[in-house]
Amino acid sequence: MKKPVTITITGAAGNIGYALAFRVASGQMLGADQPINLNLLEISPALGTVSGVVMELHDCAFATLNRISATDDAKIAFRDCDYAMLVGARPRGPGMERKDLLLENAKIFSAQGKAMNEVASRDVRVLVVGNPANTNSLIAQRNAPALNPKNFTAMTRLDHNRGRAQVALKAGVAVADVRHIIIWGNHSGTQYPDLHHATISGKPALGVVGDQWFRENYIPTVQQRGAAVIKARGTSSAASAAAAAIDHIHDWALGSASGDWVSMAVPSDGSYGIAAGVIYSFPVTCQNGQYSIVQGLPIDDFSRSRMQATYDELCEERDGVKDLL
């Protein structure tokens, strides 16, 4: 067995955090040979609930779970943390404008960024799941100047998985036969699910599913999938979000599938004309604990306009919380 790594999950008493904690503790994320110290961070009123989660985790007797703790103190939860999975966020309430939601979450993620800056591992890898995920990740990053800015990411893997599954269903193939789909931009309704480079069993995906289906059905289905789940279940995606978070960290840490790429929202570096200063979803490959943006893909006018629209939204979000950056 290897030396234990420390993983912090915030919002651990919530639906996503609950679905996530057991899979992380079981070794599904980092492997059956990787011991884990698991820190659960919750707000004070939820400490009673999270204590029940701790009981259940102990009762599972996972071989990979070395130690577990639960706290409402960010400096305790993030101490020596190697992986931070920031799930807890303020949900959008009735009558709440998007800008109000941004500001409320900015307070949470600026505080967590400062705590990580002070006590986390200097190579901590951060995944933000709580929405608005891209901008929350940017806020945490800007409040942790001592940490590697490249290590702050946001989750668009759920959108990526949704998109891949929709193509597989349409084409009547296994999900494994669908490769090279892309989610560009923001984890929001402006995201751009792109099939121009995707393949189905080695053939161009658009030649199989058709351009009309791609534009009229696929794009809005992926963009609005979260709302569709809420309408059907009466609550937001939890198990699928947890699965995507597992996938994101697993591939980042252990490597993505050979010959394919995945979507990760990462700090923009000028690739594809997306200026630095936002956390933007790109196609990436992962190897040796690092991600690399896939370069050199041709972008047509339709795709360019969609990519620009989601970038503009991210810039608007960033500007709305500039005082906390």
Side-chain angles (χ1 to χ4, degrees):
M1 296 288 275
K2 303 174 183 175
K3 178 183 176 182
V5 299
T6 298
I7 300 170
T8 302
I9 300 174
T10 76
N15 289 334
I16 297 174
Y18 182 77
L20 183 60
F22 295 88
R23 296 186 63 179
V24 170
S26 72
Q28 290 184 44
M29 186 169 78
L30 295 179
D33 62 343
Q34 179 58 69
I36 290 166
N37 296 328
L38 186 60
N39 295 339
L40 306 180
L41 178 64
E42 258 299 355
I43 58 174
S44 301
L47 285 178
T49 302
V50 82
S51 70
V53 179
V54 172
M55 292 179 197
E56 284 200 86
L57 284 162
H58 282 305
D59 292 348
C60 287
F62 292 124
T64 44
L65 185 56
N66 182 64
R67 177 179 55 77
I68 183 170
S69 69
T71 182
D72 59 358
D73 187 332
K75 289 184 180 179
I76 294 175
F78 290 119
R79 185 165 299 280
D80 301 323
C81 174
D82 299 295
Y83 296 92
M85 307 179 80
L86 309 187
V87 178
R90 170 74 182 271
R92 191 168 184 169
M96 182 181 284
E97 297 291 336
R98 186 174 178 83
K99 64 180 181 180
D100 298 324
L101 180 67
L102 279 165
L103 288 170
E104 287 298 317
N105 279 296
K107 299 172 186 175
I108 297 170
F109 287 86
S110 60
Q112 292 181 355
K114 290 173 182 175
M116 286 187 285
N117 191 64
E118 186 172 337
V119 301
S121 162
R122 299 300 86 180
D123 195 38
V124 62
R125 284 164 169 76
V126 181
L127 167 63
V128 175
V129 177
N131 289 317
N134 297 53
T135 298
N136 286 341
S137 184
L138 181 69
I139 292 163
Q141 178 208 62
R142 295 290 183 86
N143 281 276
L147 302 178
N148 185 349
K150 283 193 66 177
N151 282 357
F152 284 79
T153 69
M155 192 172 81
T156 51
R157 184 58 176 267
L158 178 54
D159 311 297
H160 182 99
N161 289 349
R162 287 166 169 167
R164 199 175 178 202
Q166 288 299 309
V167 172
L169 289 168
K170 173 66 174 177
V173 300
V175 171
D177 294 327
V178 181
R179 294 191 164 209
H180 295 163
I181 76 161
I182 302 169
I183 303 296
W184 299 101
N186 199 5
H187 175 63
S188 75
T190 68
Q191 66 175 255
Y192 173 44
D194 184 5
L195 292 183
H196 283 92
H197 312 284
T199 61
I200 301 172
S201 303
K203 300 176 182 178
L206 287 177
V208 177
V209 301
D211 192 67
Q212 183 177 1
W213 179 82
F214 163 62
R215 296 193 184 202
E216 296 180 6
N217 298 93
Y218 177 76
I219 292 175
T221 295
V222 177
Q223 288 175 333
Q224 299 164 20
R225 187 67 164 183
V229 170
I230 291 172
K231 183 177 180 180
R233 291 189 66 234
T235 187
S236 59
S237 306
S240 57
I246 293 284
D247 290 343
H248 180 113
I249 296 291
H250 175 277
D251 288 356
W252 191 1
L254 303 180
S256 53
S258 177
D260 200 1
W261 56 61
V262 295
S263 299
M264 288 174 61
V266 302
S268 53
D269 64 355
S271 295
Y272 299 99
I274 304 301
V278 296
I279 307 287
Y280 191 96
S281 184
F282 294 94
V284 307
T285 57
C286 301
Q287 189 175 10
N288 299 322
Q290 304 295 326
Y291 63 80
S292 299
I293 297 173
V294 176
Q295 299 293 333
L297 298 176
I299 305 296
D300 66 9
D301 289 343
F302 176 81
S303 294
R304 175 58 60 190
S305 66
R306 294 295 185 114
M307 291 165 66
Q308 184 65 41
T310 193
Y311 171 70
D312 290 344
E313 181 183 57
L314 283 168
C315 290
E316 183 180 347
E317 289 184 6
R318 176 197 63 197
D319 294 343
V321 294
K322 60 184 178 182
D323 293 340
L324 289 167
L325 297 177

